[in-house]
Amino acid sequence: MNLIKKVLCVAALLPALALRGADAGKVLDLLDLSRSGLEKVAELHKQGQDSLASSALLDYFKGRTGVKSVGVNPEKPKLTKEERRWADEGLEHKFFVHKGYQPSYFYGDDINWQYWPVKDNELRWQLHRTKWWVPMGKAYRVTGDEKYAREWVLQYRDWIKKNPLTEFKGIKDKDMEEVDNVYFAWRPLEVCDRLEHQIEQFELFLPSAEFTPEFLIDFLDNYHRHATFANSHYSAQGNHLLFEAQRVIFAGSFFPEFKDAASWRKAGVDILNREIKKQVFPDGVQFELDPGYHMACVNIFGKALQMMDANGYRGEFPQSYLDTMKNMVEFTYNIAFPDFTLPVFSDNKLHTKHGVQGNYRIWRKFFPKDQALRYFATDGKKGKLPEYTSRAFTNGGFYVMRNGWDSTATVMVLKAGPAGEWHNQYDNGTFEMWTNGRNFFPDSGSFIYGGDEEVLKQRNWFRQTAVHNTLTLYDKNLQTRESKLLKWEATPQGDVAVVETPGYDGLTHRRAVFFVDKKFYVIADEAYGDAEGDVALHYQLLPCDPLENTVKKSVSTAFADGNNITLRVFGADKMEAEEGWMSPAYRVKKARPAYAFRSAKKAGKPSRFITVIYPTDAANPANHDIKAAYKGKYSPTSATLEVIVDGKKYPLSYTL
Ligand code: MG
């Protein structure tokens, strides 16, 4: 924004603000002025000198000791290059709202908080997380330039003015574009996001001359309105509820001066204690079955604990709370591949080593005795690896079949659990498989969340059963998503997992995965029941230029570095190429090879397939001679098969 426009903008704002600034007397009444350090404020307020009381209150906050936050260190903030850009663009009203929408949009010299350039709900909601304000605070501290503080104060007040908390009557039968702004600005998740991050902004900008006594009153008035609203509008369930409770705890811990602070802390602690039992299965898997949100939930539980601890309100967190967190941590490093990435199941994104290991380092503070966590957090410099390799998480339905933990390992994470909650997809029976530094079967991911018809259409493509490595009837989505574990055996010689999903009316999919000699995978799929018609096994490779053989029903990768796999399916009538995409990040997608192996199922007769996935360093991966067949007819309680690779026989079987 040029200087003239900025002056006009400021001038336009000032009269309005003078009229609508918060009433200092009312705000002071929200505080417990009998607290130590607030004597002067109390006295002035009693005398009706609220302007002077506000100044005294600002002095109190500037000199306040004993209250700690657990976010940014205001004295030594780290400002990354990217954050500096967000801060500087924030000055120009190019607001960083979402990484999926870059470059950032311009919201007008006179900010239009209702601007919605793409009808993706996230873009509208997340504007109200004002993610550029903490970077502006850091930039202020790092550079000492008051322009950041000046602009923050302007934008903060502009937000209050243009996003009042009005009554919201719901979105029923309305086009999203017709929905009242309050629905977006005051969604509880956004309100609570602001509760957490405005603590950081408060600390970062507090020394500025722009942070006047009058602004302090506006800030506290707004903050109290937020906390009160949040504490009476919790989401019904899921990670939103956890985020909200943690942030209400933050409000009650960082501003103990509010009369309501103790009740905020208690409400938040009660919710987290209740929800950790409800949302986390006994095996440590968060019930949305999404590795990204799973990590976020560990962080929520951990942050709440840290904030309470730091301020002397450990509260009523029982030992079982920490025990559950520990199970959640173990689940995370078990499903992680040796490069620290996690499967992009459900709505997960591809996390970097930096991000995942950063979490491990934080979690070590809670579990200093976990030697495996220590090992992963320090790149093996300290601690030690788990004594096991494969491991089943039977409540969440994740089965990890691995032969090691280092970059030469081969790892499959099979997913076949309960219906789960919102972020979970229609993917029972699917897997990711990683070997020698390469993920050969990355999940399709999620690409985008909710929005208008066009946005939802894109989201739904990625959620389909048929774009996972599993079996469908007529390529339709699973009707039920309640998989059962029938057998799990993990030994140093090899593993077997047998899971079953009664996914469609009249069709149950039984999938047995053998990790043969801990070297390669054999998948025995049997689809049984009264249903008839098109049954298909789907496989999605990583983006590559593969070698296909539709006669042999085989596909092989052909990477020049010699790290490849060959896949061959037995029991299908035909092999067809399908549309394939994988999305590692929001609104990012890459084309990739995908295939269906189809069979016409007859009523009452099972369709039976065997898939061999063979990691290889052969010059031509497609040259491996692979054969496989079931021995005997379908049995509801057992299966016997024989697989031959390059002349070597591998008899495989299971009995239930
Ligand atoms: Mg998926």
Side-chain angles (χ1 to χ4, degrees), residues 344-347 425 427 430 443-446 462-464 467-468:
V344 289
F345 294 144
S346 304
D347 279 332
Q425 298 184 341
D427 62 358
T430 198
D443 198 80
S444 295
S446 60
F462 286 82
R463 291 178 65 77
Q464 295 176 91
V467 305
H468 291 86

Side-chain angles (χ1 to χ4, degrees), residues 127-192:
L127 170 66
H128 299 285
R129 295 185 195 175
T130 55
K131 294 176 198 172
W132 61 98
W133 282 355
V134 170
M136 276 168 72
K138 290 182 180 181
Y140 165 64
R141 283 296 188 107
V142 168
T143 64
D145 193 330
E146 289 286 341
K147 69 182 177 185
Y148 295 105
R150 194 156 45 244
E151 185 63 27
W152 175 67
V153 167
L154 275 172
Q155 290 184 14
Y156 192 95
R157 284 175 155 158
D158 193 57
W159 188 92
I160 294 173
K161 180 184 156 198
K162 294 176 182 165
N163 297 284
L165 176 54
T166 51
E167 193 189 349
F168 174 58
K169 298 187 186 75
I171 54 172
K172 213 176 169 189
D173 301 328
K174 278 189 182 175
D175 186 308
M176 289 303 279
E177 285 187 73
E178 301 295 313
V179 171
D180 298 336
N181 178 60
V182 68
Y183 167 72
F184 296 99
W186 286 85
R187 187 172 72 143
L189 188 66
E190 273 61 43
V191 172
C192 291

Side-chain angles (χ1 to χ4, degrees), residues 590-602:
K590 294 176 188 167
R592 46 98 159 257
Y595 304 93
F597 298 86
R598 297 185 186 279
S599 159
K601 184 181 176 308
K602 296 191 179 74

